[in-house]
Amino acid sequence: MDLAYIPSPSTGVINLGPIPLRGYAFCIIIGVFVAVWYGNKRWIARGGTAGTVADIAVWAVPFGLVGGRLYHVITDYQLYFSEGENWVDAFKIWEGGLGIWGAIALGAVGAWIGCRRRGIPLPAYADAIAPGIALAQAIGRWGNWFNQELYGKPTDLPWALKITESANREAGLYHPTFLYESLWCVGVAVLVVWADRRFKLGHGRAFALYVAAYCAGRGWIEYMRVDEAHHVLGLRLNVWTAIIVFLLAVTYMVISARIRPGREEIVEPKAGKAGEVAEGAAVDADVDADFDSDFDADASEDAVSGAVPDSDEDVDHGAGNGAGSAAKG
């Protein structure tokens, strides 16, 4: 008898009349909002302006969704293009199936377009949103829980995930790999925030740390999964992808630190110019105030000088003129 386990939802869809509300889609949407919200806070702290992260996300998010879906469809093409399958299902993104590798790759292209339009360096933007992306992944993984997919090997641990039987899965208790990856992503976000504050990471190194840390966790979590996947030299394709991307991220961090140490002083030209204008206006105001003060002091001194005689000779000269005028009258 199983005393403890994590139950799975009986359905991943709640119908409000004719409108279906899908848990998978909700997790993705909430994750995007968290990433943009937290990325905006970090961007402002780096010296950027509010709203810039959201403006660039308008480009990055659609590109990321397309890239994630393309990676999934290409690497699991048999699910859509083999005999007996309907190729139209490849477009049903709400039913699950987003590859993080494609989402990050093509999402970076969209972010680059948005950054280029605003004159912002992509590495600085990537550093700001890196922890938010990790949190978005942590939230998005719960969409797999709603769809009862991407679980691991059978287990009798107290936190085992109960999977119900369907045409594509066998009922039983399995490792909740979606939960493992969700918790790992939260840890990655905490690591990046700590390292960024401790070492002042810049020029894309905070983002590279996020990529490397995520790949390290994805490697062992992917190894636990039992869903169908392509294998290369005995390892799942995503394990090889995690290894290669991990090495690339670490290499970038090392080379970048040597070539461009430190952190960008200005991440958004418009914000920098606005600060310079405000500072210049403050200086001009101080100069004007000093000038007005000196002018008022000089005017007061002149008034006093005109009203008070400068010497006894002036007093005698004035008295003589007064007497002469009286005699003439």
Side-chain angles (χ1 to χ4, degrees), residues 10-303:
S10 58
T11 179
V13 182
I14 299 176
N15 293 303
L16 294 180
I19 303 176
L21 302 178
R22 302 181 181 276
Y24 185 88
F26 263 113
C27 291
I28 297 298
I29 293 172
I30 294 174
V32 170
F33 273 103
V34 169
V36 172
W37 168 77
Y38 190 51
N40 182 66
K41 291 176 66 67
R42 285 176 52 83
W43 184 252
I44 294 174
R46 287 286 300 273
T49 58
T52 296
V53 170
D55 291 343
I56 297 176
V58 171
W59 290 90
V61 172
F63 273 74
L65 291 175
V66 172
R69 189 60 175 178
L70 281 175
Y71 182 89
H72 168 73
V73 172
I74 292 173
T75 55
D76 292 308
Y77 62 88
Q78 72 280 357
L79 300 177
Y80 307 101
F81 302 105
S82 60
E83 185 177 355
E85 302 294 343
N86 186 0
W87 63 271
V88 177
D89 292 340
F91 297 95
K92 297 180 180 179
I93 191 173
W94 55 87
E95 294 183 355
L98 288 175
I100 185 60
W101 316 111
I104 294 297
L106 208 55
V109 174
W112 174 79
I113 294 174
C115 288
R116 186 176 178 82
R117 289 169 59 89
R118 297 181 69 97
I120 293 172
L122 177 61
Y125 179 81
D127 284 342
I129 65 172
I133 294 178
L135 293 176
Q137 288 179 249
I139 297 171
R141 273 307 177 200
W142 284 86
N144 302 131
W145 177 64
F146 280 101
N147 288 352
Q148 295 195 46
E149 59 185 1
L150 305 187
Y151 44 86
K153 301 174 182 178
T155 182
D156 57 357
L157 292 172
W159 56 84
L161 175 67
K162 184 176 183 180
I163 296 296
T164 59
E165 187 175 1
S166 73
N168 299 320
R169 59 178 182 260
E170 182 179 349
L173 297 176
Y174 301 88
H175 277 285
T177 50
F178 85 90
L179 178 61
Y180 298 160
E181 185 168 339
S182 179
L183 295 176
W184 183 270
C185 287
V186 173
V188 170
V190 173
L191 171 65
V192 173
V193 171
W194 171 82
D196 193 25
R197 292 177 178 176
R198 175 66 177 80
F199 302 105
K200 303 297 182 182
L201 301 177
H203 302 287
R205 289 189 288 276
F207 184 82
L209 175 61
Y210 144 70
V211 172
Y214 172 75
C215 289
R218 179 63 184 267
W220 66 266
I221 294 172
E222 186 75 22
Y223 189 75
M224 296 178 63
R225 284 167 49 174
V226 295
D227 53 300
E228 184 178 355
H230 296 287
H231 287 72
V232 178
L233 300 178
L235 293 178
R236 292 167 66 98
L237 176 61
N238 282 334
V239 175
W240 282 111
T241 305
I243 293 173
I244 295 172
V245 175
F246 172 84
L247 293 176
L248 291 174
V250 172
T251 301
Y252 176 86
M253 291 179 63
V254 174
I255 296 176
S256 175
R258 292 180 178 179
I259 296 178
R260 307 186 70 181
R263 177 186 284 181
E264 301 92 339
E265 295 183 1
I266 298 178
V267 297
E268 188 167 0
K270 292 183 179 179
K273 292 180 180 179
E276 292 174 2
V277 171
E279 183 179 356
V283 172
D284 292 343
D286 292 340
V287 171
D288 291 342
D290 293 340
F291 176 79
D292 291 341
S293 177
D294 293 341
F295 178 80
D296 292 340
D298 292 342
S300 299
E301 183 179 350
D302 291 343

